[in-house]
Amino acid sequence: AAPRPAHGCGSGALLGRFGVLLQALLALCAFSTLMLKRFKEPKAERRPWRIWFYDTSKQAIGALFIHFANVFLSDLTEEDPCSLYLINFILDATLGMLLIWLGVKVVSWIVQHKKYTYLVFGEYGDPPQAAAWIGQCILYLLIMVFEKTVISLVLLIPGWTKLQQMLLGYIPSPQLELVLVMFVVPFIVNAIMFWVVDSLIMRKYKQKDTLDINGSIETPRARRTEESQVLLSPDMDFDQSESDQDISGLRGTSQKMKQPSYQVVI
């Protein structure tokens, strides 16, 4: 086997004590962005903690699968595992993100077409059912498997070795390289990915603003507009007989007022 470059991290560095510590810190910081996202949601649309856990745990399972798959693939060759992990991660954050979006859209269309209500991402029933969460976790994990399979096939294309040397070849310290690969870059990219994917798979609460009235969909804004028009328009629904009586009464009163009055003086 060819010796590893002097500047690269050694075999097993990703799963060493320092590497595991960095990964645990990365998981804590990355998933804190999901909690921040929950508090940034409007109070009227903010998810209960149970629904939030159901939504974010799917991402946690998928992210752990991708992470350990990248660690496993990075140690398969004699190349620098840190640079291999970084390449895998960059592909996951670019091409992989597109594949995840496509997978979520396709799966959502299929389950809605088949009317599998509990498999719609973000829908867990009322009250929330753990079975719906488990089914959605399995679907999301299948999407992750599909994404990682495609990325692994892309890595078989020749020419990635030169990119590996360009990415981290200028860093002399293996520990600094490990910090960059396992913490700094993944934290920034994961924070963005978690935010975007959470928006994809969470329930779209804005759909609750529509009201089904007599089989038609009406928004609150349209309802308020219609109510204002009714209030401003004359009331044409009163009883016709009552209106005739009122009009005749008014005419009689006006005629009495017009008739001259006579006084008899004795």
Side-chain angles (χ1 to χ4, degrees):
R4 295 183 185 274
H7 62 271
C9 57
S11 177
L14 300 181
L15 293 177
R17 181 178 299 178
F18 186 59
V20 172
L21 178 62
L22 288 175
Q23 294 173 53
L25 184 61
L26 169 65
L28 179 63
C29 294
F31 283 105
S32 65
T33 60
L34 292 174
M35 187 173 295
L36 175 63
K37 182 177 183 295
R38 179 185 180 273
F39 287 111
K40 294 290 289 183
E41 297 171 356
K43 289 185 177 181
E45 302 176 3
R46 187 173 297 168
R47 291 167 288 179
W49 282 110
R50 187 175 182 180
I51 301 298
W52 177 85
F53 170 77
Y54 281 170
D55 286 341
T56 56
S57 59
K58 292 195 288 285
Q59 284 206 72
I61 294 172
L64 287 174
F65 168 78
I66 295 296
H67 172 75
F68 287 112
N70 289 341
V71 171
F72 173 75
L73 293 173
S74 300
D75 266 333
L76 284 181
T77 66
E78 293 299 325
E79 301 292 337
D80 178 14
C82 288
S83 59
L84 276 176
Y85 181 90
L86 185 60
I87 290 177
N88 273 279
F89 187 81
I90 292 174
L91 287 175
D92 288 329
T94 52
L95 177 60
M97 191 66 202
L98 177 62
L99 294 173
I100 293 172
W101 176 83
L102 181 62
V104 170
K105 292 297 182 181
V106 170
V107 170
S108 298
W109 180 84
I110 292 175
V111 297
Q112 289 179 1
H113 181 70
K114 297 293 184 180
K115 297 182 179 179
Y116 298 147
T117 307
Y118 283 169
L119 292 181
V120 176
F121 287 123
E123 298 286 348
Y124 307 103
D126 188 16
Q129 302 293 324
W133 168 70
I134 294 173
Q136 293 177 34
C137 285
I138 294 174
L139 285 180
Y140 189 74
L141 187 58
L142 290 176
I143 294 174
M144 294 296 102
V145 172
F146 164 74
E147 182 267 343
K148 196 66 235 178
T149 302
V150 175
I151 296 299
S152 300
L153 293 176
V154 171
L155 282 173
L156 295 178
I157 301 174
W160 293 107
T161 304
K162 293 182 179 180
L163 181 60
Q164 292 174 226
Q165 296 174 355
M166 293 172 56
L167 287 175
L168 299 172
Y170 59 89
I171 300 178
S173 172
Q175 288 190 337
L176 179 58
E177 183 176 341
L178 195 60
V179 170
L180 289 174
V181 170
M182 299 299 294
F183 181 75
V184 177
V185 176
F187 170 69
I188 297 173
V189 179
N190 272 331
I192 299 174
M193 287 183 63
F194 287 166
W195 199 290
V196 173
V197 174
D198 186 58
S199 299
L200 285 175
I201 63 177
M202 69 179 288
R203 179 181 179 182
K204 301 301 183 291
Y205 286 92
K206 61 183 180 181
Q207 295 176 357
K208 295 174 63 178
D209 293 339
T210 59
L211 301 173
D212 190 1
I213 301 177
N214 296 327
S216 62
I217 302 300
E218 181 183 12
T219 62
R221 182 178 179 182
R223 183 182 60 176
R224 290 194 298 267
T225 303
E226 183 180 352
E227 290 175 351
S228 62
Q229 291 176 354
V230 171
L231 291 174
L232 293 175
S233 62
D235 188 2
M236 301 300 295
D237 295 333
F238 55 84
D239 186 75
Q240 186 66 28
S241 60
E242 293 180 359
S243 64
D244 293 340
Q245 293 175 2
D246 294 339
I247 293 174
S248 61
L250 290 173
R251 287 178 179 174
T253 305
S254 62
Q255 290 176 357
K256 290 180 181 178
M257 293 176 65
K258 291 180 180 178
Q259 291 178 355
S261 59
Y262 299 96
Q263 296 181 355
V264 179
V265 179
I266 301 176

